[in-house]
């Protein structure tokens, strides 16, 4: 699947949902700014989350009392109808793409088609990592080698301190080559094929790859992929992707 085909599939699926619930002419508000650490994930003990270090920006859409969030590197604001959202060019416009994905999350949450569209805060990220480890042990008892796509510190620390052999890929030059929690952060561009085809029994991939389009590198692979996080909340079902997230348990 190409980047263009990916986003066209999302637009078609979202359009069908809007028509099914007769809400295509409803108004949605998308507000965006760089959140403070307190607004983003509360007062966490750990201070190396990307949202704290300034590497991620969160955009939030509001629809019928429901919030949908997405991480993006191109924040912008929008106020208009859902029909206008569908008309946006999102494959080659990162501003529009962030708006579209955040809106999709808010709407899909509102009609009951997804959950966990708001990032967990304070001790939530640490608890989510504990939940993930327990989930993997129960559902993937034979997995031993895990590739983590996207630097997520609490999850990396939890996995690296367990029975698993872990490798982590990231695109941020500030992380690449650094040793974090006993694991070297590798270049997500140049090491991707090696890890996919020669290392991983299971891939844990951040849903934030949806906004930058790199998600297509982790679709249709011979090794199983689990996507995690809030950004991909509404899109996972439309794209037929497996998602695991515990944010709803710790939303405050």
């Amino acid at each position: 699947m190409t980047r263009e085909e990916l986003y066209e599939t999302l637009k078609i699926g979202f359009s069908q949902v809007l028509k099914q619930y007769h809400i295509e002419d409803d108004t949605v508000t998308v507000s965006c700014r760089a959140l403070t650490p307190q607004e983003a994930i509360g007062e966490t003990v750990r201070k190396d989350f990307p949202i704290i270090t300034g590497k991620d920006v969160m955009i939030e859409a509001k629809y019928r009392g429901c919030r949908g969030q997405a991480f993006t590197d191109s924040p912008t604001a929008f106020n208009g109808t859902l029909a206008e959202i569908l008309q946006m060019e999102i494959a080659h416009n990162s501003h529009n793409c962030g708006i579209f994905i955040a809106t999709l999350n808010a709407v899909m949450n509102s009609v009951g088609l997804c959950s966990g569209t708001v990032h967990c805060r304070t001790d939530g990220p640490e608890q989510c990592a504990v939940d993930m480890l327990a989930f993997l042990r129960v559902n993937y008892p034979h997995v031993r080698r895990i590739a983590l796509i996207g630097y997520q510190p609490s999850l990396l620390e939890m996995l690296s301190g367990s029975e698993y052999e872990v490798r982590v890929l990231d695109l941020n030059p500030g992380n690449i080559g650094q040793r974090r929690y006993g694991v070297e952060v590798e270049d997500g561009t140049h090491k991707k094929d090696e890890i996919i085809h020669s290392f991983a029994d299971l891939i844990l991939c951040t849903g934030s790859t949806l906004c930058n389009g790199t998600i297509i590198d982790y679709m249709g692979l011979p090794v199983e992929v689990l996507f995690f996080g809030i950004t991909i909340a509404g899109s996972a079902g439309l794209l037929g992707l497996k998602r695991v997230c515990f944010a709803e348990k710790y939303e405050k």
Side-chain angles (χ1 to χ4, degrees):
M1 177 179 287
T2 66
R3 184 188 183 103
E4 291 77 14
E5 289 170 339
L6 165 73
Y7 292 129
E8 185 61 25
T9 298
L10 275 184
K11 291 181 77 170
I12 291 172
F14 191 36
S15 175
Q16 291 173 342
V17 169
L18 299 187
K19 290 178 180 178
Q20 178 183 351
Y21 290 91
H22 308 289
I23 56 177
E24 58 264 40
D25 292 323
D26 280 9
T27 298
V28 64
T29 298
V30 179
S31 58
C32 177
R33 60 189 175 88
L35 302 180
T36 66
Q38 173 65 34
E39 291 170 318
I41 57 176
E43 293 293 341
T44 59
V45 174
R46 191 188 308 271
K47 300 303 179 184
D48 58 346
F49 289 102
I51 192 70
I52 294 178
T53 60
K55 302 304 181 183
D56 282 338
V57 177
M58 185 181 291
I59 187 171
E60 180 175 276
K62 297 179 180 179
Y63 173 75
R64 291 189 177 182
C66 290
R67 294 185 292 159
Q69 297 176 343
F71 285 110
T72 177
D73 59 1
S74 300
T76 192
F78 173 85
N79 186 73
T81 67
L82 294 177
E84 289 175 305
I85 292 284
L86 283 178
Q87 296 304 312
M88 286 182 167
E89 200 290 307
I90 61 175
H92 303 286
N93 186 313
S94 55
H95 296 281
N96 289 350
C97 188
I99 291 171
F100 178 89
I101 292 171
T103 300
L104 187 152
N105 285 339
V107 173
M108 296 285 276
N109 188 334
S110 174
V111 298
L113 295 180
C114 76
S115 61
T117 59
V118 176
H119 203 284
C120 51
R121 304 177 70 250
T122 310
D123 61 347
E126 306 297 333
Q127 293 298 320
C128 282
V130 174
D131 288 337
M132 179 69 83
L133 182 59
F135 175 86
L136 294 174
R137 285 171 170 167
V138 170
N139 293 279
Y140 297 90
H142 302 300
V143 165
R144 288 295 173 263
R145 297 184 298 180
I146 295 177
L148 178 61
I149 311 302
Y151 177 63
Q152 210 287 349
S154 58
L155 184 53
L156 176 59
E157 184 179 28
M158 184 62 61
L159 292 174
S160 65
S162 68
E163 66 271 28
Y164 299 109
E165 182 181 354
V166 183
R167 291 175 70 176
V168 57
L169 298 180
D170 200 61
L171 297 178
N172 178 7
N175 290 330
I176 296 171
Q178 300 298 310
R179 198 157 188 85
R180 306 288 173 82
Y181 308 105
V183 180
E184 180 182 349
V185 181
E186 301 179 69
D187 190 326
T189 300
H190 299 102
K191 291 288 188 175
K192 175 185 61 186
D193 289 342
E194 175 192 340
I195 284 184
I196 289 173
H197 298 291
S198 302
F199 171 76
D201 298 325
L202 177 70
I203 293 174
L204 290 180
C205 184
T206 174
S208 299
T209 54
L210 181 63
C211 273
N212 63 26
T214 60
I215 190 172
I216 62 175
D217 296 332
Y218 302 99
M219 297 172 64
L221 297 180
V223 61
E224 185 165 353
V225 181
L226 280 177
F227 292 90
F228 65 88
I230 58 168
T231 301
I232 200 170
S235 301
L238 297 179
L239 295 172
L241 303 176
K242 291 185 178 180
R243 173 192 179 234
V244 58
C245 185
F246 309 97
E248 191 174 28
K249 293 175 59 177
Y250 306 105
E251 182 183 334
K252 295 180 182 180

